[in-house]
Amino acid sequence: MKLRKDFYTRPDVVQVAQDLLGKYLYTNHDGILTGGIIVETEAYSGTNDKACHAHMNRRTQRTEIMYHEGGVAYVYLVYGMYNLFNIITNVEGQADAVLVRAIEPTEGIEEMLLRRNMATPKPNLTAGPGVLSIALSINRSHYGETLTGDTIWIEDKGIAVPAEGIAIGPRIGIDYAGEDALLPWRFWLKDNKWVSRKK
């Protein structure tokens, strides 16, 4: 079942980030379906999180979508080469987001291998937010895309992830955020080989 808008508009972005684990992320690009199980996420809060692009109420051309009502995609470029896929949450004006860091591929694996120029499925196919977007053909044209449509969406297939099956730690690559870099807002499925590795 496709997640409805009210899943995304809840006020606690940290809870939403945890609840996304075990859900299925899909994309339909030129009629080709690719996707898999979300196994790693990170929460970002617009209100009081130095790691968030909208910290201190920053509103730029890039961050404007963060202030929309939850349930849309925020895709931005890092290192001049990687598009990162984020899910906007909460109500309009709050600027909360969840970065999807990794999926366990289940659908369209052959197509993902072509997009990633790989011969066989290995964890680096989709373990990491940059390579995940390449495998799923997510780019900045998806900025602002609704997550309740037929281009990018998330489904609940009834997988119950017990609390003891979730690992919790600090987010990755945000050392500039000072004490906020230590917030335990990264969540991943324990012992899942498709979780990204900290560089």
Side-chain angles (χ1 to χ4, degrees):
M1 188 177 74
K2 196 178 283 187
L3 294 182
R4 298 196 320 248
K5 202 166 187 69
D6 58 7
F7 177 92
Y8 303 108
T9 53
R10 292 177 294 157
D12 185 348
V13 67
V14 174
Q15 187 63 53
V16 174
Q18 292 181 67
D19 291 347
L20 282 164
L21 294 176
K23 305 293 191 288
Y24 284 72
L25 170 63
Y26 291 109
T27 61
N28 181 347
H29 181 72
D30 292 338
I32 299 170
L33 183 68
T34 50
I37 305 166
I38 297 173
V39 298
E40 184 182 4
T41 60
E42 286 180 349
Y44 290 86
S45 171
T47 309
N48 53 5
D49 176 9
K50 292 189 183 73
C52 182
H53 289 171
H55 180 59
M56 305 283 288
N57 252 356
R58 270 198 301 264
R59 289 185 92 128
T60 64
Q61 196 173 355
R62 179 170 85 158
T63 64
E64 190 56 37
I65 196 67
M66 295 191 73
Y67 292 91
H68 283 231
E69 183 181 46
V72 294
Y74 171 37
V75 183
Y76 61 87
L77 192 68
V78 293
Y79 308 128
M81 58 190 292
Y82 288 120
N83 291 296
L84 303 195
F85 169 65
N86 298 258
I87 295 164
I88 298 305
T89 67
N90 213 327
V91 295
E92 186 175 354
Q94 286 303 312
D96 290 348
V98 177
L99 171 67
V100 179
R101 288 194 55 89
I103 66 166
E104 178 177 330
T106 59
E107 189 81 40
I109 292 172
E110 289 299 317
E111 181 65 25
M112 290 191 214
L113 290 169
L114 286 172
R115 291 172 184 168
R116 290 277 291 116
N117 197 22
M118 291 171 62
T120 55
K122 295 194 292 257
N124 63 335
L125 178 64
T126 53
V131 295
L132 175 154
S133 290
I134 296 169
L136 294 180
S137 206
I138 295 173
N139 56 52
R140 274 166 298 159
S141 72
H142 297 113
Y143 179 99
E145 186 76 45
T146 178
L147 301 178
T148 54
D150 298 317
T151 304
I152 304 178
W153 68 94
I154 297 168
E155 291 186 18
D156 184 347
K157 297 201 174 187
I159 294 178
V161 178
E164 59 271 19
I166 297 175
I168 301 173
R171 295 166 295 180
I172 293 173
I174 56 161
D175 297 342
Y176 59 84
E179 67 274 17
D180 288 348
L182 303 175
L183 288 170
W185 284 5
R186 174 177 166 241
F187 307 96
W188 66 97
L189 295 184
K190 284 180 183 171
D191 304 321
N192 185 289
K193 71 173 186 179
W194 298 92
V195 171
S196 69
R197 298 284 171 260
K198 186 165 182 177
K199 297 291 187 286

